[in-house]
């Protein structure tokens, strides 16, 4: 049982480059989301999805795109990387159908934009 | 609307003494509440969760939390701190019927353990 898998774990980008953070889950969860974690600010929601074909913006969506073509995958795209996007990124998924709502996290992706 | 406030950004205790990490929440719906722990340069691990069953919830590594609706609190406790408990702790609220802001994190409490 792999849970939530994020890749890459570490990445260094130059300003203006684009890249995609991959996220996949094998638990058939409807709800998936991306967070960024910055010192002293906890985790802030970037984008989320409540099912295949459905995405919506979170608290800090600017500079990021997402898509949800399948239930399993929820990639996060940085269109033109900026130093302000240096952060740790976490993908999460949860079962939206029950009252349990346990949130499962990936291991994190450490991104540095220079 | 929902929100979560962790009242202390940093807590320091001596090894073997009790731990108290405070969390207050606000939710328009019946919330699910969670505590997650994050060790340095690691991902987030679920400690425990409250989902409208027993108000006293026991988690892993000797932690527990009590849901108090009248006080809108969900404080995390442990009777005796261990050096391995040093980490960042996040209180999380999730509203089952809200899609606009489904899962909200507190800003985190850094727990330090003194030898």
């Amino acid at each position: 049982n792999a849970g939530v898998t994020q890749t890459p774990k570490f990445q260094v980008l130059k300003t203006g480059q684009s890249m995609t953070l991959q996220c996949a889950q094998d638990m058939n969860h409807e709800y998936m989301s991306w967070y960024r974690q910055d010192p002293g600010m906890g985790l802030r929601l970037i984008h989320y999805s409540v099912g295949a074909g459905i995405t919506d913006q979170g608290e800090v969506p600017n500079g990021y795109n997402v898509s949800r073509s399948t239930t399993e995958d929820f990639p996060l795209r940085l269109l033109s990387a900026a130093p302000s996007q240096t952060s740790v990124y976490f993908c999460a998924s949860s079962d939206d159908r029950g009252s349990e709502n346990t949130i499962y996290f990936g291991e994190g992706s450490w991104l540095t934009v220079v | 609307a929902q929100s979560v406030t962790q009242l202390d950004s940093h807590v320091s205790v001596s090894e073997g003494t009790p731990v108290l990490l405070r969390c207050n929440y606000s939710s328009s719906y019946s919330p699910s509440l969670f505590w997650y722990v994050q060790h340095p340069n690691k991902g987030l691990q679920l400690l425990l969760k409250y989902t409208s069953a027993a108000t006293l919830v026991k988690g892993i590594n000797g932690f527990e939390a009590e849901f108090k609706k009248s006080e809108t609190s969900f404080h995390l406790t442990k009777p005796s701190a261990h050096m391995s408990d040093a980490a960042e702790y996040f209180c999380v609220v999730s509203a089952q019927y809200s899609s606009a802001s489904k899962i909200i994190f507190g800003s985190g409490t850094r727990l330090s353990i003194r030898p």
Side-chain angles (χ1 to χ4, degrees), chain A residues 9 31 33 35 37 40-43 45 48 50 56-57 90 94 96-108 110, chain B residues 32 34 36 38 40-46 49 51-52 88 90 92 94-96 99-108:
Chain A
K9 192 170 180 66
Y31 185 91
S33 52
Y35 296 86
Q37 183 179 26
M41 303 185 75
L43 276 76
L45 182 64
Y48 67 98
V50 297
D56 207 345
Q57 296 180 351
F90 288 96
S94 69
D96 197 33
R97 288 169 293 198
S99 62
E100 294 296 303
N101 276 356
T102 295
I103 313 158
Y104 297 85
F105 288 92
E107 288 287 303
W110 275 256
Chain B
S32 296
F34 308 80
Y36 283 82
Q38 184 182 32
N41 299 317
K42 298 290 186 182
L44 290 99
Q45 180 184 18
L46 178 67
K49 63 181 179 182
T51 56
S52 76
E88 187 94 15
F90 292 96
V92 181
S94 172
Q96 184 175 353
S99 62
S101 55
K102 180 176 176 66
I103 299 168
I104 300 296
F105 281 77
S107 56

Side-chain angles (χ1 to χ4, degrees), chain B residues 44-85:
Chain B
L44 290 99
Q45 180 184 18
L46 178 67
L47 274 179
L48 50 80
K49 63 181 179 182
Y50 165 78
T51 56
S52 76
T55 56
L56 182 61
V57 182
K58 294 187 184 299
I60 62 172
N61 300 336
F63 284 95
E64 63 182 37
E66 185 172 7
F67 174 73
K68 292 186 176 180
K69 187 174 181 179
S70 60
E71 299 176 11
T72 61
S73 68
F74 190 57
H75 301 334
L76 181 71
T77 60
K78 182 173 181 177
S80 177
H82 191 273
M83 294 301 291
S84 62
D85 295 328

Side-chain angles (χ1 to χ4, degrees), chain A residues 45-89:
Chain A
L45 182 64
I46 304 172
H47 286 283
Y48 67 98
S49 168
V50 297
I54 306 169
T55 64
D56 207 345
Q57 296 180 351
E59 184 183 355
V60 288
N62 292 341
Y64 306 95
N65 272 0
V66 292
S67 59
R68 187 89 181 273
S69 56
T70 67
T71 298
E72 293 78 19
D73 300 298
F74 190 47
L76 177 72
R77 297 182 186 86
L78 280 70
L79 308 173
S80 177
S84 61
Q85 294 178 302
T86 294
S87 188
V88 184
Y89 293 84

